[in-house]
PDB file of all heavy atoms in Angstrom:
ATOM      1  N   ASN A 137      -1.461   6.492  -6.109  1.00 83.00           N
ATOM      2  CA  ASN A 137      -2.379   5.869  -6.999  1.00 83.00           C
ATOM      3  C   ASN A 137      -2.631   6.625  -8.274  1.00 83.00           C
ATOM      4  O   ASN A 137      -2.706   6.037  -9.377  1.00 83.00           O
ATOM      5  CB  ASN A 137      -3.741   5.514  -6.224  1.00 83.00           C
ATOM      6  CG  ASN A 137      -3.658   4.486  -5.237  1.00 83.00           C
ATOM      7  OD1 ASN A 137      -2.665   3.732  -5.194  1.00 83.00           O
ATOM      8  ND2 ASN A 137      -4.576   4.561  -4.387  1.00 83.00           N
ATOM      9  N   TYR A 138      -2.693   7.922  -8.210  1.00 87.00           N
ATOM     10  CA  TYR A 138      -3.019   8.827  -9.406  1.00 87.00           C
ATOM     11  C   TYR A 138      -1.751   8.594 -10.343  1.00 87.00           C
ATOM     12  O   TYR A 138      -1.893   8.525 -11.498  1.00 87.00           O
ATOM     13  CB  TYR A 138      -3.132  10.269  -8.930  1.00 87.00           C
ATOM     14  CG  TYR A 138      -3.357  11.231 -10.160  1.00 87.00           C
ATOM     15  CD1 TYR A 138      -4.527  11.216 -10.868  1.00 87.00           C
ATOM     16  CD2 TYR A 138      -2.258  11.995 -10.622  1.00 87.00           C
ATOM     17  CE1 TYR A 138      -4.682  12.011 -11.948  1.00 87.00           C
ATOM     18  CE2 TYR A 138      -2.442  12.747 -11.610  1.00 87.00           C
ATOM     19  CZ  TYR A 138      -3.638  12.823 -12.376  1.00 87.00           C
ATOM     20  OH  TYR A 138      -3.715  13.634 -13.418  1.00 87.00           O
ATOM     21  N   VAL A 139      -0.621   8.890  -9.788  1.00 87.00           N
ATOM     22  CA  VAL A 139       0.689   8.694 -10.630  1.00 87.00           C
ATOM     23  C   VAL A 139       0.783   7.389 -11.239  1.00 87.00           C
ATOM     24  O   VAL A 139       1.123   7.314 -12.340  1.00 87.00           O
ATOM     25  CB  VAL A 139       1.887   9.119  -9.810  1.00 87.00           C
ATOM     26  CG1 VAL A 139       3.175   8.790 -10.576  1.00 87.00           C
ATOM     27  CG2 VAL A 139       1.878  10.601  -9.287  1.00 87.00           C
ATOM     28  N   ALA A 140       0.500   6.325 -10.429  1.00 81.00           N
ATOM     29  CA  ALA A 140       0.588   4.956 -11.045  1.00 81.00           C
ATOM     30  C   ALA A 140      -0.455   4.804 -12.128  1.00 81.00           C
ATOM     31  O   ALA A 140      -0.124   4.157 -13.152  1.00 81.00           O
ATOM     32  CB  ALA A 140       0.311   3.978  -9.911  1.00 81.00           C
ATOM     33  N   THR A 141      -1.578   5.266 -11.928  1.00 82.00           N
ATOM     34  CA  THR A 141      -2.678   5.156 -13.059  1.00 82.00           C
ATOM     35  C   THR A 141      -2.158   5.880 -14.309  1.00 82.00           C
ATOM     36  O   THR A 141      -2.261   5.357 -15.457  1.00 82.00           O
ATOM     37  CB  THR A 141      -3.965   5.738 -12.629  1.00 82.00           C
ATOM     38  OG1 THR A 141      -4.324   5.137 -11.481  1.00 82.00           O
ATOM     39  CG2 THR A 141      -5.030   5.692 -13.613  1.00 82.00           C
ATOM     40  N   ARG A 142      -1.554   7.025 -14.133  1.00 87.00           N
ATOM     41  CA  ARG A 142      -1.097   7.808 -15.248  1.00 87.00           C
ATOM     42  C   ARG A 142       0.052   7.217 -15.922  1.00 87.00           C
ATOM     43  O   ARG A 142       0.179   7.081 -17.184  1.00 87.00           O
ATOM     44  CB  ARG A 142      -0.718   9.258 -14.852  1.00 87.00           C
ATOM     45  CG  ARG A 142      -1.879  10.086 -14.536  1.00 87.00           C
ATOM     46  CD  ARG A 142      -2.777  10.277 -15.647  1.00 87.00           C
ATOM     47  NE  ARG A 142      -4.115  10.736 -15.230  1.00 87.00           N
ATOM     48  CZ  ARG A 142      -5.319  10.383 -15.719  1.00 87.00           C
ATOM     49  NH1 ARG A 142      -5.263   9.726 -16.853  1.00 87.00           N
ATOM     50  NH2 ARG A 142      -6.364  10.810 -15.251  1.00 87.00           N
ATOM     51  N   LEU A 143       0.885   6.552 -15.168  1.00 84.00           N
ATOM     52  CA  LEU A 143       2.083   5.760 -15.826  1.00 84.00           C
ATOM     53  C   LEU A 143       1.660   4.540 -16.496  1.00 84.00           C
ATOM     54  O   LEU A 143       2.178   4.215 -17.596  1.00 84.00           O
ATOM     55  CB  LEU A 143       3.061   5.417 -14.694  1.00 84.00           C
ATOM     56  CG  LEU A 143       3.898   6.642 -14.134  1.00 84.00           C
ATOM     57  CD1 LEU A 143       4.647   6.196 -12.982  1.00 84.00           C
ATOM     58  CD2 LEU A 143       4.643   7.235 -15.136  1.00 84.00           C
ATOM     59  N   ILE A 144       0.590   3.855 -16.087  1.00 81.00           N
ATOM     60  CA  ILE A 144       0.076   2.708 -16.737  1.00 81.00           C
ATOM     61  C   ILE A 144      -0.460   3.176 -18.031  1.00 81.00           C
ATOM     62  O   ILE A 144      -0.283   2.474 -19.036  1.00 81.00           O
ATOM     63  CB  ILE A 144      -1.033   1.972 -15.958  1.00 81.00           C
ATOM     64  CG1 ILE A 144      -0.270   1.185 -14.701  1.00 81.00           C
ATOM     65  CG2 ILE A 144      -1.837   1.012 -16.782  1.00 81.00           C
ATOM     66  CD1 ILE A 144      -1.283   0.642 -13.751  1.00 81.00           C
ATOM     67  N   PHE A 145      -1.222   4.275 -18.105  1.00 86.00           N
ATOM     68  CA  PHE A 145      -1.749   4.729 -19.346  1.00 86.00           C
ATOM     69  C   PHE A 145      -0.611   5.147 -20.354  1.00 86.00           C
ATOM     70  O   PHE A 145      -0.672   4.815 -21.567  1.00 86.00           O
ATOM     71  CB  PHE A 145      -2.662   6.031 -19.144  1.00 86.00           C
ATOM     72  CG  PHE A 145      -3.977   5.620 -18.658  1.00 86.00           C
ATOM     73  CD1 PHE A 145      -4.480   6.280 -17.618  1.00 86.00           C
ATOM     74  CD2 PHE A 145      -4.820   4.574 -19.211  1.00 86.00           C
ATOM     75  CE1 PHE A 145      -5.797   5.939 -17.091  1.00 86.00           C
ATOM     76  CE2 PHE A 145      -5.917   4.287 -18.798  1.00 86.00           C
ATOM     77  CZ  PHE A 145      -6.598   4.932 -17.757  1.00 86.00           C
ATOM     78  N   LEU A 146       0.445   5.736 -19.832  1.00 87.00           N
ATOM     79  CA  LEU A 146       1.671   5.976 -20.693  1.00 87.00           C
ATOM     80  C   LEU A 146       2.344   4.799 -21.170  1.00 87.00           C
ATOM     81  O   LEU A 146       2.597   4.674 -22.389  1.00 87.00           O
ATOM     82  CB  LEU A 146       2.676   6.795 -19.797  1.00 87.00           C
ATOM     83  CG  LEU A 146       3.870   7.291 -20.609  1.00 87.00           C
ATOM     84  CD1 LEU A 146       3.540   8.196 -21.707  1.00 87.00           C
ATOM     85  CD2 LEU A 146       4.901   7.917 -19.585  1.00 87.00           C
ATOM     86  N   GLU A 147       2.329   3.628 -20.379  1.00 85.00           N
ATOM     87  CA  GLU A 147       2.944   2.498 -20.881  1.00 85.00           C
ATOM     88  C   GLU A 147       2.028   1.832 -21.899  1.00 85.00           C
ATOM     89  O   GLU A 147       2.513   1.330 -22.832  1.00 85.00           O
ATOM     90  CB  GLU A 147       3.134   1.600 -19.683  1.00 85.00           C
ATOM     91  CG  GLU A 147       3.846   0.265 -20.105  1.00 85.00           C
ATOM     92  CD  GLU A 147       3.696  -0.917 -19.166  1.00 85.00           C
ATOM     93  OE1 GLU A 147       2.838  -0.822 -18.266  1.00 85.00           O
ATOM     94  OE2 GLU A 147       4.368  -2.005 -19.443  1.00 85.00           O
ATOM     95  N   LEU A 148       0.694   1.893 -21.649  1.00 85.00           N
ATOM     96  CA  LEU A 148      -0.250   1.317 -22.640  1.00 85.00           C
ATOM     97  C   LEU A 148      -0.103   2.051 -23.977  1.00 85.00           C
ATOM     98  O   LEU A 148      -0.007   1.453 -25.049  1.00 85.00           O
ATOM     99  CB  LEU A 148      -1.657   1.440 -22.112  1.00 85.00           C
ATOM    100  CG  LEU A 148      -2.043   0.500 -21.031  1.00 85.00           C
ATOM    101  CD1 LEU A 148      -3.422   0.800 -20.552  1.00 85.00           C
ATOM    102  CD2 LEU A 148      -1.883  -0.999 -21.477  1.00 85.00           C
ATOM    103  N   TRP A 149       0.092   3.379 -23.931  1.00 89.00           N
ATOM    104  CA  TRP A 149       0.262   4.122 -25.214  1.00 89.00           C
ATOM    105  C   TRP A 149       1.563   3.664 -25.863  1.00 89.00           C
ATOM    106  O   TRP A 149       1.582   3.478 -27.071  1.00 89.00           O
ATOM    107  CB  TRP A 149       0.336   5.671 -24.845  1.00 89.00           C
ATOM    108  CG  TRP A 149       0.705   6.461 -26.062  1.00 89.00           C
ATOM    109  CD1 TRP A 149      -0.195   6.930 -26.973  1.00 89.00           C
ATOM    110  CD2 TRP A 149       1.917   6.908 -26.382  1.00 89.00           C
ATOM    111  NE1 TRP A 149       0.530   7.635 -27.887  1.00 89.00           N
ATOM    112  CE2 TRP A 149       1.892   7.701 -27.514  1.00 89.00           C
ATOM    113  CE3 TRP A 149       3.228   6.877 -25.709  1.00 89.00           C
ATOM    114  CZ2 TRP A 149       2.895   8.343 -28.071  1.00 89.00           C
ATOM    115  CZ3 TRP A 149       4.236   7.504 -26.334  1.00 89.00           C
ATOM    116  CH2 TRP A 149       4.108   8.242 -27.475  1.00 89.00           C
ATOM    117  N   ALA A 150       2.664   3.613 -25.096  1.00 88.00           N
ATOM    118  CA  ALA A 150       3.848   3.189 -25.651  1.00 88.00           C
ATOM    119  C   ALA A 150       3.868   1.783 -26.188  1.00 88.00           C
ATOM    120  O   ALA A 150       4.407   1.499 -27.271  1.00 88.00           O
ATOM    121  CB  ALA A 150       4.989   3.382 -24.656  1.00 88.00           C
ATOM    122  N   ALA A 151       3.237   0.903 -25.491  1.00 86.00           N
ATOM    123  CA  ALA A 151       3.165  -0.505 -26.019  1.00 86.00           C
ATOM    124  C   ALA A 151       2.317  -0.616 -27.278  1.00 86.00           C
ATOM    125  O   ALA A 151       2.625  -1.356 -28.101  1.00 86.00           O
ATOM    126  CB  ALA A 151       2.455  -1.422 -24.881  1.00 86.00           C
ATOM    127  N   GLN A 152       1.286   0.270 -27.365  1.00 88.00           N
ATOM    128  CA  GLN A 152       0.564   0.262 -28.465  1.00 88.00           C
ATOM    129  C   GLN A 152       1.269   0.774 -29.673  1.00 88.00           C
ATOM    130  O   GLN A 152       1.288   0.198 -30.795  1.00 88.00           O
ATOM    131  CB  GLN A 152      -0.733   1.275 -28.341  1.00 88.00           C
ATOM    132  CG  GLN A 152      -1.827   1.007 -29.242  1.00 88.00           C
ATOM    133  CD  GLN A 152      -3.044   1.910 -28.827  1.00 88.00           C
ATOM    134  OE1 GLN A 152      -2.882   3.010 -28.319  1.00 88.00           O
ATOM    135  NE2 GLN A 152      -4.192   1.424 -29.013  1.00 88.00           N
ATOM    136  N   ARG A 153       2.100   1.801 -29.543  1.00 90.00           N
ATOM    137  CA  ARG A 153       3.042   2.382 -30.566  1.00 90.00           C
ATOM    138  C   ARG A 153       4.055   1.226 -31.007  1.00 90.00           C
ATOM    139  O   ARG A 153       4.465   1.234 -32.100  1.00 90.00           O
ATOM    140  CB  ARG A 153       3.759   3.612 -30.154  1.00 90.00           C
ATOM    141  CG  ARG A 153       2.802   4.700 -29.872  1.00 90.00           C
ATOM    142  CD  ARG A 153       2.088   5.311 -31.163  1.00 90.00           C
ATOM    143  NE  ARG A 153       1.295   6.286 -30.844  1.00 90.00           N
ATOM    144  CZ  ARG A 153      -0.127   6.298 -30.819  1.00 90.00           C
ATOM    145  NH1 ARG A 153      -0.629   5.219 -31.091  1.00 90.00           N
ATOM    146  NH2 ARG A 153      -0.806   7.342 -30.606  1.00 90.00           N
ATOM    147  N   LEU A 154       4.625   0.514 -30.033  1.00 88.00           N
ATOM    148  CA  LEU A 154       5.684  -0.426 -30.333  1.00 88.00           C
ATOM    149  C   LEU A 154       5.138  -1.739 -30.806  1.00 88.00           C
ATOM    150  O   LEU A 154       5.840  -2.568 -31.307  1.00 88.00           O
ATOM    151  CB  LEU A 154       6.448  -0.728 -29.083  1.00 88.00           C
ATOM    152  CG  LEU A 154       7.339   0.553 -28.610  1.00 88.00           C
ATOM    153  CD1 LEU A 154       8.120   0.262 -27.352  1.00 88.00           C
ATOM    154  CD2 LEU A 154       8.313   0.897 -29.766  1.00 88.00           C
ATOM    155  N   GLY A 155       3.881  -2.029 -30.654  1.00 86.00           N
ATOM    156  CA  GLY A 155       3.199  -3.344 -30.953  1.00 86.00           C
ATOM    157  C   GLY A 155       3.585  -4.420 -29.976  1.00 86.00           C
ATOM    158  O   GLY A 155       3.603  -5.561 -30.313  1.00 86.00           O
ATOM    159  N   ARG A 156       3.944  -4.035 -28.820  1.00 83.00           N
ATOM    160  CA  ARG A 156       4.382  -5.022 -27.745  1.00 83.00           C
ATOM    161  C   ARG A 156       3.240  -5.124 -26.659  1.00 83.00           C
ATOM    162  O   ARG A 156       2.604  -4.115 -26.412  1.00 83.00           O
ATOM    163  CB  ARG A 156       5.616  -4.742 -27.072  1.00 83.00           C
ATOM    164  CG  ARG A 156       6.788  -4.514 -28.020  1.00 83.00           C
ATOM    165  CD  ARG A 156       7.797  -5.639 -27.670  1.00 83.00           C
ATOM    166  NE  ARG A 156       8.888  -5.456 -28.536  1.00 83.00           N
ATOM    167  CZ  ARG A 156       9.436  -6.598 -29.054  1.00 83.00           C
ATOM    168  NH1 ARG A 156       9.109  -7.734 -28.622  1.00 83.00           N
ATOM    169  NH2 ARG A 156      10.529  -6.365 -29.785  1.00 83.00           N
TER     170      ARG A 156
END
Side-chain angles (χ1 to χ4, degrees):
N137 287 343
Y138 177 78
V139 170
T141 301
R142 293 296 160 210
L143 289 175
I144 287 173
F145 283 132
L146 180 63
E147 186 200 9
L148 288 174
W149 174 82
Q152 201 174 32
R153 297 288 180 257
L154 294 173
R156 303 241 181 219

